Amino acid sequence: MPELYENQAEQRRAVLAAVDTGSYDLEISLAELRELAASDEIEVVGVITQKLSSPIPATFMGSGRLLELKEFLETSDANLILFDEELSPAQLRNIEELCDCPVIDRTMLILDIFASRAVSGEGKAQVELARLKYQLPRLAGRGVQLSRQGGGGGGGGGARRGAGETKLESDRRHIRRRIHQLEEELTQLSLRRERGRARRVKDGVTSVAIVGYTNVGKSTLLNTLTEAGVLAEDKLFATLDPTARALRLPDGRSVLLIDTVGLLRRLPHQLVEAFHSTLEEAASADLILNVCDITSPELMEQRRVTEDLLRELGVTDTPVLTVLNKCDQAGPFLAGEPHKGCVRISAREGLGLEELLLAVQEALPPARVLARLLLPYSEGALVGKLEQCGRILSREYVPEGLLLDAEVDKSVWHLYKPYAVSRLNAAEDPLKGE
């Protein structure tokens, strides 16, 4: 697969470039771009911006500002331009030709970071698919450059242009074929994941998904609660692959705690599509922990990004518990400020975790189903199992079998559901309050 950009062995020093249209906070976005660059081992040596009502279709920035950028490149040690937007193929080509310097856009940078972080086969396939979908429409620029290398008029030049066009079509066919292969592979993995989720539901396994902005401490929280041993570094997208571990709550029940990929504002749509099946782990969870960094000035914006993606995934009825992490680094005002429906913790220092587990326990659906059952006398084994995995509240012998009011553990409810006469309310529990 062609690389997104070359000469990665050389130390990359970039000038950040952005157009301020007023559609988002440029200063915050550029700060995030600096973090992304650092995560990809790119040193930032300068910034150039321009206020415009909308980007220039051909060159994104105005030609005058691009000439200033070219002059800066000639007098500094920068060898790269990093744009805080996704550029069109024509813009990418035109800027490179005008500035005589390699150009990376925001999407290209994020894709490269994801490619370096992916560990599992599924994660690598998802990232490769996103990169290829990004590359495909940009092959035309490479084709134009090849045809220009062929020269002007004359039979020889025409023949060379033809060879360039043939190479372009060959690259397109190769990428389309690989995209189809990856989509088939990921479809099978998605089906396997869906079967796993269905099996967990059938077996009554309760799942809790950790979601949130990148680098807010999701993996640290998973490690602290379950000793999962997941890589947790102070960098963006330190981990991509979902990890699930068992977690025991204070009431004794066990739940499956699932870590998911970190989110980012203006996350490339290719990545959202590629990681859709992974993110669906959150959509199918019984409870979602939206982890936020309480020290970040963008706390509310980060929370909104997560909530928007959950809505996009169709998550509307699942309870969401907001977890404000890094409270040990917050000042007294932030650390003590009341937030309705939130739990304040420090995953690194282990602060507030007991309160978090109690909040999770309270937010989850009941661990047992209260129901009236009519078990045939031939199903005596189910009565014995119920005494081990539940609680019999009352029993009555009737001609059809044994009529029971019982609490049934959700993990075995599928065995008793066919014999349910009705579901009971908690108020009908004759032993309530004991």
Side-chain angles (χ1 to χ4, degrees), residues 354-375:
E354 290 184 12
E355 292 82 354
L356 173 60
L357 293 178
L358 289 171
V360 167
Q361 182 177 290
E362 185 177 341
L364 283 171
R368 290 182 172 182
V369 177
L370 193 59
R372 178 162 292 147
L373 308 171
L374 180 59
L375 293 176

Side-chain angles (χ1 to χ4, degrees), residues 88-354:
S88 71
Q91 288 169 341
L92 194 65
R93 181 176 67 250
N94 292 338
I95 296 169
E96 284 189 338
E97 289 181 350
L98 184 61
C99 295
D100 192 27
C101 180
V103 175
I104 303 174
D105 65 16
R106 180 184 174 91
T107 298
M108 193 186 301
L109 177 63
I110 294 173
L111 288 172
D112 194 62
I113 294 170
F114 268 59
S116 66
R117 302 280 194 272
V119 176
S120 71
E122 182 177 8
K124 291 178 180 178
Q126 287 167 328
V127 174
E128 184 183 354
L129 178 61
R131 294 181 79 178
L132 289 175
K133 285 186 173 181
Y134 172 86
Q135 278 187 300
L136 187 58
R138 288 161 176 77
L139 287 180
R142 296 176 66 235
V144 170
Q145 290 170 353
L146 285 169
S147 66
R148 285 177 179 169
Q149 291 171 4
R160 283 192 291 272
R161 276 196 301 274
E165 291 165 359
T166 301
K167 177 66 166 61
L168 174 62
E169 289 304 317
S170 173
D171 286 346
R172 281 176 171 162
R173 281 195 299 272
H174 170 75
I175 288 181
R176 288 193 183 107
R177 186 165 56 245
R178 181 60 179 157
I179 285 174
H180 178 72
Q181 181 182 350
L182 287 168
E183 286 177 337
E184 292 262 315
E185 181 181 328
L186 288 171
T187 296
Q188 293 303 313
L189 289 170
S190 179
L191 290 173
R192 188 186 309 166
R193 191 186 296 278
E194 179 60 37
R195 286 194 295 269
R197 284 196 292 264
R199 186 165 57 250
R200 291 202 299 267
V201 171
K202 180 181 177 182
D203 294 344
V205 177
T206 301
S207 61
V208 177
I210 306 175
V211 302
Y213 218 69
T214 182
N215 205 30
V216 295
K218 298 186 303 301
S219 296
T220 301
L221 178 59
L222 181 75
N223 286 339
T224 304
L225 290 176
T226 69
E227 300 180 357
V230 175
L231 175 68
E233 294 184 90
D234 185 18
K235 61 171 63 174
L236 303 186
F237 306 116
T239 53
L240 295 181
D241 299 299
T243 304
R245 293 291 186 273
L247 171 67
R248 187 165 295 279
L249 298 178
D251 64 3
R253 63 176 142 166
S254 181
V255 300
L256 195 65
L257 191 61
I258 304 170
D259 190 14
T260 59
V261 64
L263 306 177
L264 193 73
R265 66 169 62 81
R266 289 155 48 222
L267 193 65
H269 66 90
Q270 299 96 333
L271 281 172
V272 175
E273 290 176 5
F275 281 82
H276 200 275
S277 65
T278 304
L279 292 168
E280 283 175 349
E281 292 287 356
S284 64
D286 297 283
L287 174 66
I288 293 171
L289 302 184
N290 182 0
V291 181
C292 304
D293 179 356
I294 195 172
T295 67
S296 171
E298 288 298 289
L299 169 63
M300 299 309 296
E301 172 66 11
Q302 292 178 1
R303 184 175 176 179
R304 184 196 61 77
V305 168
T306 303
E307 290 170 348
D308 287 348
L309 181 62
L310 291 175
R311 275 193 295 271
E312 185 181 325
L313 291 170
V315 180
T316 55
D317 300 325
T318 306
V320 177
L321 179 63
T322 300
V323 181
L324 301 176
N325 191 27
K326 306 185 183 181
C327 68
D328 59 308
Q329 302 174 31
F333 174 74
L334 278 178
E337 184 183 357
H339 291 270
K340 186 178 179 181
C342 301
V343 180
R344 288 183 293 275
I345 68 163
S346 169
R348 186 180 64 179
E349 299 298 329
L351 302 175
L353 297 185
E354 290 184 12

